[in-house]
Amino acid sequence: MLEVEFLKRYPGFSLEVRLTLPEGKTTALLGPSGSGKSTLLKLTAGLIPPDKGRVRLGNLDLTPLPPERRKVGFLFQDYALFPHLTVYENIAFGLVEARWPKAALKARVEELLQRTGLTPHAQKKPQALSGGEQQRVALARAIAPRPRLLLLDEPLGALDLRLREDLLFFLRRILREEKTTALVVTHDQEEAFLLAETVVILREGKVVQKGRAEEVYTRPKEAWVARFLGHKNLLSPEESLRLGLPPRAHLLLPGAVCLEPKTAWKEALVEERLFFGARVGLWLSYLGIRLYWEGEDPGLEEGARVGVRLNPALALPLD
Ligand code: ADP
Ligand code: MG
C-alpha cells in the first residue's frame, strides 16, 4: 500500500488529504485546475515540505528521506531532458547515479530504447527529436531505474491532440508492463479512466471520491463530481418529478434517454445537433427540460421532433 497523509496550507488554499492506494498499480489524481493535484504530487515526492503529514510505501516510511533518496521517478509536463546528453545518455542518467553495473545498465537502456521505439534515435540529442519522441525519452528516463514510485504530472499536457492520443496508449502500455506504483495527475477524465485502475477526485484540496474508474463514473457521489466527469443530464427534484421520478435530484446515466421515433411517446424538440464524427450528440427539449442524448447518428436535424423514453433503471438518485 502507498499511504499518503498531508496537510499543507497556502494563503487562500489548504490541502487536506489522506489516501491509501494500491501498490504496483496506477492511480489517477483527477481534479480541476487549482484543486491541489501538483501540490499533492510534490508533497509525495518530498519536493515541498508539508505542514503535517507522512508518506509510507509498504512498510517503508519515506517521510524523513530527502527527495533524491526516496527512489521516486518523475515526469512533469515540461519534461526537461538534458540537452547536452544523447537520448541514450538521458535514459541512462538515473542508472549511472544509482551506480548500476555496466552490463545491467546497458541492457536496461537498450531494452527501454526498444520498447519506446527510440533505438534509431539513441545517439541523437533531444532537440533533434519531435515533441512526442522527447516525451517518450522522458518517460524512459523516469522508469529506467525502476523507481518505487512513479509520479507523473499532466504527462501529456504540452502535446497536441493527435500526439496526446498516441502517447496516452503508449503510456498506458508501459505503466502496465512495468507494474510500478504510479500516481498520474490529469484534469482530463478520459485520460484518468484509460490510464488508471483507481481514480481519486480532488476538489479544493480535498478528496471527494475514490474508486475504480467505472464505479466513479457510474456512481458519482454528488452532482459536482457527476458534472466534472462530463455527465450532462442532472435533474433537479422538480424536473425529476416531471419525468415521473421521485422528487429528488437525479443523474441520468448514459443510455437513460432513449429515442423512439416510431412510437406514441411524448415528443422532444431537437434544439442542437453536435456532430463528433463517429457519434452525434443531441440537445433535446423535453417537457421543458433540456436533455442530452448521444449515439449513432439518428438522422435528426435541428428543429425535428422525436419520441423520447426514459429508462428509470438508469436514473441515479443524488444527494
Ligand atoms: P493543480 O495542480 O490541481 O492545478 P496546484 O497544486 O498547483 O493545483 O495548486 C493548488 C493551489 O495552491 C492553488 O490555489 C495555487 O495557487 C496554490 N499554490 C500552489 N503552490 C503555491 C505556492 N508555492 N505558494 C502559494 N500558493 C501556492
Ligand atoms: Mg498542476
Side-chain angles (χ1 to χ4, degrees), residues 32-39 42 77 153-154 185 187:
S33 175
S35 55
K37 305 180 300 294
S38 295
T39 302
K42 287 180 199 156
Q77 187 174 333
D153 196 348
E154 307 263 1
V185 159
H187 59 265

Side-chain angles (χ1 to χ4, degrees), residues 65-306:
L65 302 179
E68 65 277 9
R69 294 198 41 221
R70 292 189 179 194
K71 289 204 186 167
V72 167
F74 302 104
L75 184 61
F76 292 142
Q77 187 174 333
D78 45 2
Y79 44 92
L81 294 170
F82 303 114
H84 56 288
L85 299 182
T86 63
V87 167
Y88 186 103
E89 290 161 344
N90 264 282
I91 298 174
F93 187 83
L95 307 181
V96 175
E97 293 272 285
R99 297 172 202 279
W100 277 43
K102 260 207 182 102
L105 179 148
K106 185 164 178 285
R108 178 69 169 156
V109 176
E110 281 174 358
E111 173 216 325
L112 285 170
L113 282 167
Q114 174 132 48
R115 280 167 59 198
T116 51
L118 289 166
T119 307
H121 304 300
Q123 296 314 319
K124 292 184 189 163
K125 297 278 171 64
Q127 61 270 27
L129 304 182
S130 71
E133 287 161 350
Q134 290 184 30
Q135 188 64 332
R136 279 189 272 152
V137 178
L139 179 64
R141 184 180 63 177
I143 61 175
R146 301 194 201 281
R148 291 184 179 122
L149 179 61
L150 185 61
L151 303 174
L152 307 108
D153 196 348
E154 307 263 1
L156 311 174
L159 301 165
D160 63 52
L161 203 65
R162 258 324 300 276
L163 212 52
R164 264 182 96 90
E165 202 179 85
D166 287 350
L167 262 155
L168 178 60
F169 290 106
F170 172 75
L171 183 60
R172 179 187 148 92
R173 178 165 61 75
I174 295 283
L175 288 173
R176 277 160 203 239
E177 286 170 3
E178 285 289 307
K179 298 189 177 67
T180 315
T181 308
L183 263 180
V184 53
V185 159
T186 171
H187 59 265
D188 181 301
Q189 80 277 6
E190 253 179 41
E191 217 169 275
F193 293 162
L194 282 167
L195 288 175
E197 282 88 357
T198 306
V199 175
V200 172
I201 300 182
L202 270 186
R203 181 190 186 188
E204 293 169 12
K206 314 275 182 303
V207 173
V208 287
Q209 196 164 353
K210 176 191 138 181
R212 282 177 49 244
E214 287 83 353
E215 180 189 315
V216 170
Y217 186 73
T218 57
R219 294 283 175 270
K221 278 196 183 149
E222 45 180 272
W224 183 88
V225 174
R227 217 169 272 124
F228 179 69
L229 294 178
H231 286 291
K232 298 197 170 57
N233 291 324
L234 284 132
L235 304 174
S236 68
E238 190 269 323
E239 289 170 330
S240 299
L241 196 60
R242 240 187 294 164
L243 294 178
L245 296 166
R248 55 185 298 189
H250 283 86
L251 165 66
L252 300 181
L253 293 166
V257 176
C258 310
L259 304 182
E260 300 282 349
K262 288 189 192 84
T263 57
W265 295 94
K266 289 206 180 71
E267 281 193 335
L269 171 70
V270 178
E271 290 192 325
E272 277 177 83
R273 174 181 184 269
L274 311 169
F275 178 67
F276 292 107
R279 65 213 149 74
V280 158
L282 299 177
W283 276 107
L284 307 165
S285 171
Y286 181 64
L287 305 174
I289 302 165
R290 242 167 102 77
L291 291 179
Y292 183 73
W293 175 92
E294 197 176 288
E296 234 174 88
D297 192 354
L300 294 165
E301 294 304 323
E302 289 175 6
R305 296 195 167 266
V306 63

